[in-house]
Every structure is written in C-alpha cells, then in structure tokens.
Amino acid sequence: MKLKNYYRMCDQLAETIEKQKLLAGMEIVRDKAAGKEIYKDKSGHIQVVDIIYCASTYNLFEGATLNPLALKEWKIFLEKQAEAKVRLEKLKREREKKKKLDEAIGKTEKIFCVGEKIYYKSFGKGAPVQNGTIVKNENGVIEISFEDGNKKSAGFLNVVVNGYIGPQDEQEAAGLASSIELLKNRSMIKTNLETAEREFAPYSDYI
C-alpha cells in the first residue's frame, strides 16, 4: 500500500470512529488496565493504529479487495460530502441571520408596545410631525391615537423601517437604530434562508 493511501485510510478510520462514537469509553478501560490515568487519545490515532495492527495480526483483511467501481463511487461520495459541508455552512450562516432578524423584530415590537408615546411623520415632503400613543399592535398592524383624537392604522414594520414612526424616548430611539438595517433586509434574509434549506436538502445524507 502506498504511504499516502495508508494515511488516507488512517484519517478515514479516525473520522469514522469519532462520527459513529465507536470504541467509546476505551480510555476508561485502558486506565483501569494500567491502574492509572494514561495519555488521552483525543485525535483517535492510537485507536486507529490498534485496529490496523489487530486486523493485520489476525488476518482480518482477508477477502478485502479494492474494486475500481467502488473507488469511483467513493470519490463521488467524497465530492458530494465536501459539497454538503459547504452548503451546510451556508445554511448555518443564513439561520444565524434569521435568528438575528427575529431578535430585532422582537426588540422592535417591545419598543412599540401598547401605551408607548411615539411621533408620526405623515407621508410627503414637508408633512407635519404628530405625537401620538400606540393603542394597538397585533398581526403586523399598528394603531395610533393622536393628541387631536384622530386614529390611524398602518403596517407596523413598514412604517418603522421607513422612519414614519419612532419612539419619543431618545434612549429607545437609539436602541432601535441597530435593528433597522436587519428589518430593511427581512425579505431577503427569509428568501436566502429558504434557498439555503432547499439547496442543502439533497445533500443532508452526506453529513
């Protein structure tokens, strides 16, 4: 066997031992046999050498052959596994973005709760700014009661993102600023996550 093939076999065997949790607890058995705590084989290299030595000594390799077709299939498997890892990392990144978006939405909903004093900018350049109080915020719709007694309903996140409403409290306004960019990109974040999930699905069995 060529040395590079031997190393590859060792790496694959170590990976399988770790992934399948094979020989779990072997270090405890070794400690008991030695009567003391011995070297911790975190990499699994000692176990790999033991397995290869045992298989060679007791001729457990007998009957094992290298099939060209099997090698071709293994190469395809490794290629798909590598692609699966790439797609999984992308999925993790998109899930993290979605998590941050959900946190931003929750934070924003908490700021614009019922009873919160806010300002409202009417649509159009030079339109007046009115002060009001939130009297309802549910199902994505916010209702504002103004000081003159009038009321207005609007899509909650849209008016927040576009700056038509904001908290009168300066500290809350400053805290809201960090969430605005995420809220602006909410549709793209959701779409990217759906795409990443769809792209990873056919490769999930290779992880």
Side-chain angles (χ1 to χ4, degrees):
M1 178 183 290
K2 293 182 179 180
L3 192 58
K4 67 176 183 179
N5 290 337
Y6 174 78
Y7 288 154
R8 187 177 67 179
M9 179 183 70
C10 291
D11 289 340
Q12 291 173 359
L13 183 53
E15 183 179 347
T16 300
I17 290 173
E18 173 63 24
K19 188 173 183 179
Q20 302 296 333
K21 302 302 180 185
L22 301 175
L23 305 179
M26 182 58 70
E27 290 182 350
I28 297 176
V29 174
R30 283 178 172 162
D31 288 350
K32 288 184 177 179
K36 60 181 181 179
E37 185 175 309
I38 59 176
Y39 172 74
K40 298 301 181 183
D41 183 27
K42 295 181 180 180
S43 64
H45 290 165
I46 294 177
Q47 291 181 345
V48 167
V49 173
D50 285 349
I51 291 172
I52 294 174
Y53 175 79
C54 179
S56 299
T57 301
Y58 296 100
N59 200 25
L60 300 180
F61 289 124
E62 185 177 6
T65 59
L66 291 175
N67 189 312
L69 180 61
L71 287 175
K72 182 179 180 181
E73 291 175 345
W74 179 245
K75 182 179 179 181
I76 293 173
F77 173 82
L78 291 179
E79 289 173 351
K80 288 186 177 293
Q81 187 179 60
E83 180 63 23
K85 291 178 179 179
V86 171
R87 298 190 181 205
L88 179 58
E89 287 305 311
K90 178 181 178 181
L91 178 58
K92 288 179 178 179
R93 290 195 299 271
E94 297 306 326
R95 283 176 173 169
E96 183 62 25
K97 291 178 184 178
K98 179 58 165 57
K99 179 182 177 182
K100 291 181 179 179
L101 172 62
D102 291 340
E103 290 173 351
I105 292 174
K107 180 180 179 180
T108 305
E109 289 177 340
K110 187 176 181 180
I111 291 176
F112 292 96
C113 60
V114 173
E116 179 72 16
K117 301 292 184 181
I118 58 98
Y119 67 80
Y120 176 84
K121 295 180 181 179
S122 300
F123 297 93
K125 187 176 181 179
V129 177
Q130 297 174 277
N131 291 327
T133 303
I134 296 175
V135 294
K136 191 175 184 180
N137 186 355
E138 59 183 37
N139 300 321
V141 177
I142 194 169
E143 185 176 328
I144 306 165
S145 176
F146 296 105
E147 293 176 346
D148 60 6
N150 291 324
K151 290 184 178 181
K152 184 176 183 64
S153 296
F156 171 49
L157 291 179
N158 286 333
V159 292
V160 172
V161 167
N162 291 302
Y164 291 114
I165 69 170
Q168 294 181 18
D169 184 279
E170 292 183 359
Q171 187 174 353
E172 289 182 339
L176 179 64
S178 61
S179 300
I180 293 298
E181 282 304 313
L182 281 170
L183 296 176
K184 285 181 179 179
N185 297 317
R186 61 190 184 281
S187 294
M188 183 179 67
I189 291 173
K190 292 176 182 178
T191 299
N192 288 347
L193 175 57
E194 292 172 356
T195 300
E197 289 175 337
R198 186 169 59 252
E199 291 177 345
F200 174 70
Y203 288 81
S204 60
D205 291 339
Y206 294 95
I207 296 296

